[in-house]
Amino acid sequence: MQLTTASAYRRPCTSANGHLQIEMDSLGTFRRYDADETVYCQGGAADYWYRIVDGAARQCTQISDGRRQIMDFLLPGDLFGFDASTRHECSVECVASNTTVARYQRQQMESLMESDPPLARRMREIAFGSIDRLQARMILLGRSRALERVCGFLLELAHRVQVEAEGTVALPMSRYDIADYLAIAVETVSRSLTTLRSERVITFFDARHFRIIDRRALEAHCCR
Amino acid sequence: MQLTTASAYRRPCTSANGHLQIEMDSLGTFRRYDADETVYCQGGAADYWYRIVDGAARQCTQISDGRRQIMDFLLPGDLFGFDASTRHECSVECVASNTTVARYQRQQMESLMESDPPLARRMREIAFGSIDRLQARMILLGRSRALERVCGFLLELAHRVQVEAEGTVALPMSRYDIADYLAIAVETVSRSLTTLRSERVITFFDARHFRIIDRRALEAHCCR
DNA sequence: CGAAGGCTTGATCTCGGTCAAGGCAGGTGG
DNA sequence: CCACCTGCCTTGACCGAGATCAAGCCTTCG
């Protein structure tokens, strides 16, 4: 289970969350979204916590100059919607069609935490883990080159999503989304992918499906 | 009270932490450090939580290529030392001489949280706040130019530290520290400060003490 | 069939990194 | 007291990674 923000290298989902998941599940309501539908808006009331059940979403902020920063891609199992304030700092929009999201009343969750300290502790650990991952992401954005970022992203994705037959990985998001996630231009994303393809590090089945040929080379490109 | 990581714009310390502070204080031990002394090392056991009582410190990671990233500057009141893992992801070194740090046993703190749910909730809020600030910092590192970063840093600092007579702000850290915090070169930090000085946005008393003349201009330079 | 959106590629320009040098202040030893 | 050294800060010159601008291709959808 993951909190709100991604890192270059997520750890695999631990099964230690079963408890939290089960306690929460009875209190959630489910909803299905189309691609590009909004789950909640930046500035909206932060009255619920959420979890991705199926599909994919992006968590993003609008910057004053019109650009967009994607804070995280949300995949099945990820928890999100926490904010220190009573208003959301980010918007969340679905990337894939038929994305299913579970929603939990914030007040109810808070009460659940108060009455169940081990659960609260688990939640604290998730938050601390999220901070660790955000710090790794800070290094990615602050200290690495475009090609390194793209390699880090591909490895992260391959690690998180269900790998299909023969190691094929689906890219649910567009090049534009990837660019806004890595804080580089679309053209640079495209060029980096072309480079990796021409170096036979990855192959593409089509624009949205790739396979890692040389994982070693991909890892070698990464910073830290 | 602040957690482990800074943002371009911290909110003022709320007095709502009195409770947490008081409960913790009786359990802490204090120690005084010289400039550049290490509080703990990256990779060391994460058995304690800490709080800056007086002075200043930097929380940083070594990157494989030899560069350094400063994750946060720690100032009086800031809590730090949390990690999802049992090992620290970062080192913490003092910046100012005569920096005083309080130390708390992690196990003891965990127990305190378990036995006092409102306290645990407060801790959760601090963690969520920290996540918000890290996200703001991600935008700073990913999406803004050198001059914008420096302006953001100056505003943040002026906001956090005790302002001296006539609005003079002390810079406890070196230009090198600032560079590693903002993920730019020292030369660029120096050039940005020179630009701001020549535009009469700030003045320097000496290299480590400045005053904001035109706050409006400083804010106008900031992204988001 | 045409339009629109996503993806790729090429050409050009710019911000900031890197290299190099010099100024200044504080500390140390003669 | 001065000479020297060292570390911190500033400034200049140059260069390169990546942003931006421009154009064309492909797929999808009405």
Side-chain angles (χ1 to χ4, degrees):
Chain A
M1 185 184 298
Q2 303 286 349
L3 193 70
T4 241
T5 45
S7 75
Y9 298 99
R10 284 171 184 266
R11 288 168 198 93
C13 298
T14 67
S15 56
N17 304 306
H19 185 39
L20 180 50
Q21 188 97 351
I22 288 162
E23 297 248 10
M24 285 176 63
D25 265 2
S26 58
L27 301 171
T29 62
F30 293 74
R31 181 168 160 195
R32 184 164 285 252
Y33 295 88
D34 279 336
D36 292 321
E37 258 193 288
T38 300
V39 178
Y40 62 74
C41 273
Q42 186 169 1
D47 296 333
Y48 298 92
W49 291 359
Y50 303 83
R51 185 170 52 83
I52 299 278
V53 177
D54 191 42
R58 55 176 178 257
Q59 184 183 40
C60 49
T61 344
Q62 206 61 36
I63 309 181
S64 58
D65 60 7
R67 289 179 305 175
R68 182 181 68 155
Q69 176 67 44
I70 294 183
M71 295 298 181
D72 199 6
F73 288 117
L74 304 166
L75 296 178
D78 291 357
L79 277 174
F80 62 100
F82 311 95
D83 278 281
S85 130
T86 57
R87 309 252 139 216
H88 288 299
E89 300 282 341
C90 295
S91 303
V92 169
E93 303 155 5
C94 294
V95 166
S97 53
N98 282 327
T99 294
T100 308
V101 175
R103 195 180 77 169
Y104 310 90
Q105 289 199 332
R106 178 178 170 155
Q107 276 311 322
Q108 216 166 6
M109 286 299 110
E110 297 279 8
S111 308
L112 184 58
M113 300 293 138
E114 310 265 323
S115 65
D116 188 343
L119 209 61
R121 177 182 189 149
R122 180 69 202 129
M123 198 65 207
R124 212 158 51 235
E125 286 166 3
I126 290 178
F128 290 165
S130 182
I131 289 170
D132 281 357
R133 294 198 314 279
L134 267 168
Q135 291 188 339
R137 198 155 146 61
M138 248 175 55
I139 291 180
L140 199 82
L141 293 190
R143 293 295 191 177
S144 66
R145 320 224 138 244
L147 187 61
E148 295 170 339
R149 297 188 199 189
V150 172
C151 291
F153 170 73
L154 294 178
L155 284 169
E156 179 198 352
L157 198 74
H159 191 242
R160 290 180 69 192
V161 303
Q162 203 68 344
V163 175
E164 298 171 13
E166 296 183 36
T168 300
V169 180
L171 281 167
M173 65 292 287
S174 73
R175 301 287 190 269
Y176 290 87
D177 287 335
I178 299 172
D180 289 344
Y181 178 64
L182 299 177
I184 55 182
V186 212
E187 293 93 330
T188 308
V189 173
S190 190
R191 275 185 256 270
S192 300
L193 290 174
T194 301
T195 301
L196 292 173
R197 199 174 36 191
S198 69
E199 286 176 356
R200 318 243 359 113
V201 176
I202 55 175
T203 40
F204 276 93
F205 173 69
D206 60 27
R208 297 289 187 96
H209 293 85
F210 73 98
R211 194 161 61 81
I212 296 176
I213 300 176
D214 187 352
R215 173 174 292 268
R216 209 58 59 91
L218 214 48
E219 286 165 348
H221 274 303
C222 286
C223 172
R224 202 185 182 184
Chain B
M1 186 183 300
Q2 304 285 349
L3 193 70
T4 239
T5 44
S7 76
Y9 299 99
R10 284 175 184 262
R11 288 169 198 91
C13 298
T14 68
S15 56
N17 302 307
H19 186 39
L20 180 51
Q21 188 96 349
I22 288 163
E23 297 248 9
M24 285 176 64
D25 265 2
S26 58
L27 302 172
T29 62
F30 293 75
R31 183 171 158 194
R32 184 164 285 251
Y33 296 87
D34 279 337
D36 291 321
E37 256 193 289
T38 300
V39 177
Y40 62 74
C41 273
Q42 186 169 2
D47 295 335
Y48 297 91
W49 291 358
Y50 303 83
R51 185 170 52 83
I52 300 276
V53 177
D54 192 43
R58 55 177 176 256
Q59 184 184 40
C60 49
T61 345
Q62 206 60 36
I63 309 181
S64 57
D65 60 7
R67 289 178 306 175
R68 183 181 66 153
Q69 175 67 44
I70 294 183
M71 295 299 182
D72 199 8
F73 288 117
L74 304 165
L75 296 178
D78 290 357
L79 278 174
F80 62 100
F82 311 95
D83 278 281
S85 133
T86 57
R87 308 251 139 218
H88 288 300
E89 300 282 342
C90 294
S91 302
V92 169
E93 302 155 5
C94 294
V95 166
S97 53
N98 282 327
T99 294
T100 307
V101 176
R103 195 179 76 168
Y104 310 91
Q105 288 199 333
R106 179 178 169 153
Q107 277 311 321
Q108 217 166 7
M109 286 300 109
E110 298 278 9
S111 308
L112 185 57
M113 302 291 136
E114 309 267 322
S115 64
D116 188 343
L119 209 60
R121 178 183 188 149
R122 180 69 203 127
M123 197 66 209
R124 211 157 53 235
E125 286 167 2
I126 290 178
F128 291 164
S130 183
I131 289 171
D132 282 356
R133 294 199 313 280
L134 268 168
Q135 291 189 339
R137 197 154 146 64
M138 249 175 55
I139 292 181
L140 198 81
L141 292 190
R143 292 296 190 178
S144 66
R145 329 228 113 206
L147 187 61
E148 295 169 340
R149 296 187 200 190
V150 172
C151 291
F153 170 74
L154 295 178
L155 284 168
E156 180 197 352
L157 198 74
H159 191 242
R160 289 179 71 193
V161 302
Q162 204 66 345
V163 175
E164 298 171 14
E166 295 183 35
T168 300
V169 180
L171 282 167
M173 66 292 288
S174 73
R175 301 287 192 268
Y176 291 87
D177 287 335
I178 298 172
D180 289 344
Y181 178 65
L182 298 177
I184 54 182
V186 212
E187 294 91 331
T188 307
V189 173
S190 190
R191 275 185 257 269
S192 300
L193 290 175
T194 301
T195 301
L196 292 174
R197 199 175 36 192
S198 69
E199 287 176 354
R200 319 249 352 120
V201 175
I202 54 175
T203 39
F204 276 94
F205 172 70
D206 61 27
R208 296 290 186 96
H209 293 85
F210 71 98
R211 195 162 60 82
I212 297 176
I213 300 177
D214 187 351
R215 173 175 293 269
R216 209 56 61 89
L218 213 49
E219 285 166 349
H221 274 302
C222 286
C223 172
R224 200 183 183 184

